[in-house]
Amino acid sequence: MELSKILVSFFVIQFLLFHSPIYAAAPGNSNIFREYIGAEFNNVKFSDVPIYSGVEFHFILSFAIDYTMSSSSPSPTNGQFNVFWDSDNLNPSAVSAIKNQHSNVKVALSLGGDSVGGSSAYFNPSSVDSWVSNAVSSLTNIIKQYNLDGIDIDYEHFQADPNTFAECIGKLITTLKNDGVISFASIAPYDDDEVQNHYKTLWKSYSQVIDYVNFQFYAYDKGTTVSQFMDYFSTQRSNYEGGRILASFGTDGSGGLSPENGFFTACSKLKSKGDLVGIFVWSADDSKSNGFKYEKQSQGLLAISH
């Protein structure tokens, strides 16, 4: 009788272990600070940006785009990426120098962006397999040439359905990670129906290979309040469930909750709830003129022990 009870208990435990739903734990506070750099060609350098030792600092080069380098009319290249950031100032030797100077610095590149040559930059693959093959090859070359650590996905315009986007990007990230080419990957969606459809489809199938969600909270309306920001943050945590979602602001005069209007108040609220994974900024190019005031404030907040 006792043996049968023990056996029943054993099988009940086995059932619960293997059939109970698994809920993603809240990410918790962290000290990730990320900043896009190089898109606006205003001679900003890595060394211009203040770097605090108490944060994990990611520069994100903006952008690598799978378009031709033609100055008059760039055209899609089906995954053959070229460097479109300010590579005169942000070159391989500059990457090595800033990483040697600061052991807490990593450097990534971002794919896509809003525009190329004055027109929208489209995600426009010929097929999943051909795009992934070309992308893996061309990006591996760039990443190794520049001694980079990760990639960010910032396509904002699409000539492919969400499932094609998800398979292309998911397979790209998976392959680069499996090959040891990158150690982290992020996505950069914002509150737009088409954009969200594409990125949520990617998240549904490949969230396990995506380390950070650089949600563009500065794409919300100007004049966003602290309470609205908190609501938006909660909504995106639901959309990208289990993801490490960073708070963000722009220094280019774009929208969202600005530092002047309470961004750091909102971050303190997130931190008190254990929800402040990190902060990212668009962009160093725009912040150069004000001496990186808010980059300093962001890192100061993140560097305080959790």
Side-chain angles (χ1 to χ4, degrees):
M1 185 67 182
E2 291 304 316
L3 179 60
S4 64
K5 285 183 179 178
I6 291 169
L7 287 172
V8 169
S9 298
F10 173 78
F11 287 117
V12 168
I13 290 167
Q14 293 297 303
F15 179 84
L16 290 173
L17 282 172
F18 291 102
H19 295 276
S20 296
I22 298 171
Y23 297 102
N29 290 331
S30 183
N31 63 342
I32 308 292
F33 179 78
R34 320 186 85 204
E35 181 143 44
Y36 291 87
I37 187 170
E40 296 172 18
F41 288 81
N42 67 351
N43 296 316
V44 67
K45 300 175 176 64
F46 295 126
S47 56
D48 292 335
V49 184
I51 297 168
Y52 285 33
S53 60
V55 302
E56 181 176 333
F57 195 113
H58 297 177
F59 283 110
I60 306 176
L61 292 162
S62 312
F63 292 93
I65 313 174
D66 53 332
Y67 269 67
T68 59
M69 300 290 287
S70 165
S71 56
S72 55
S73 58
S75 58
T77 57
N78 189 40
Q80 297 277 6
F81 281 88
N82 290 303
V83 168
F84 281 85
W85 66 76
D86 181 3
S87 56
D88 288 340
N89 290 293
L90 306 170
N91 53 37
S93 61
V95 172
S96 295
I98 200 68
K99 288 171 71 172
N100 288 336
Q101 188 178 356
H102 298 276
S103 61
N104 59 319
V105 166
K106 295 177 180 175
V107 185
L109 58 75
S110 187
L111 308 185
D114 175 56
S115 62
V116 57
S119 300
S120 294
Y122 283 95
F123 178 75
N124 187 18
S126 299
S127 68
V128 171
D129 289 345
S130 64
W131 189 92
V132 171
S133 177
N134 289 339
V136 167
S137 175
S138 60
L139 288 172
T140 296
N141 289 337
I142 294 170
I143 289 165
K144 289 186 173 179
Q145 178 190 358
Y146 278 80
N147 186 26
L148 304 180
D149 304 286
I151 64 171
D152 174 66
I153 310 300
D154 188 24
Y155 281 105
E156 302 184 1
H157 308 283
F158 307 92
Q159 289 179 339
D161 63 82
N163 287 322
T164 300
F165 176 71
E167 287 306 303
C168 285
I169 300 300
K171 288 180 177 178
L172 169 64
I173 295 172
T174 301
T175 303
L176 292 177
K177 283 193 167 187
N178 288 345
D179 290 350
V181 177
I182 60 171
S183 58
F184 60 83
S186 57
I187 57 174
Y190 61 95
D191 188 41
D192 169 89
D193 287 346
E194 184 185 31
V195 169
Q196 290 280 61
N197 284 339
H198 282 75
Y199 282 92
K200 285 163 68 176
T201 302
L202 169 62
W203 184 258
K204 184 176 180 181
S205 297
Y206 289 97
S207 61
Q208 70 277 8
V209 297
I210 298 167
D211 300 280
Y212 309 104
V213 179
N214 280 15
F215 198 85
Q216 299 182 45
F217 289 102
Y218 45 84
Y220 285 105
D221 290 343
K222 268 191 173 184
T224 296
T225 64
V226 171
S227 62
Q228 286 174 323
F229 180 92
M230 298 298 287
D231 287 342
Y232 296 153
F233 193 91
S234 178
T235 297
Q236 301 314 327
R237 280 195 69 186
S238 298
N239 283 333
Y240 300 94
E241 189 173 358
R244 304 181 74 196
I245 299 173
L246 280 71
S248 63
F249 63 91
T251 54
D252 60 346
S254 56
L257 178 59
S258 67
E260 298 91 340
N261 291 337
F263 175 79
F264 293 108
T265 299
C267 285
S268 295
K269 287 177 179 287
L270 290 174
K271 191 164 189 174
S272 69
K273 296 164 61 178
D275 291 340
L276 186 63
V277 169
I279 295 169
F280 80 89
V281 181
W282 176 273
S283 68
D285 307 55
D286 298 296
S287 299
K288 185 179 178 181
S289 61
N290 74 2
F292 303 96
K293 174 182 177 181
Y294 297 121
E295 282 79 355
K296 295 174 185 175
Q297 193 170 347
S298 297
Q299 293 178 79
L301 174 63
L302 292 169
I304 298 168
S305 60
H306 306 148

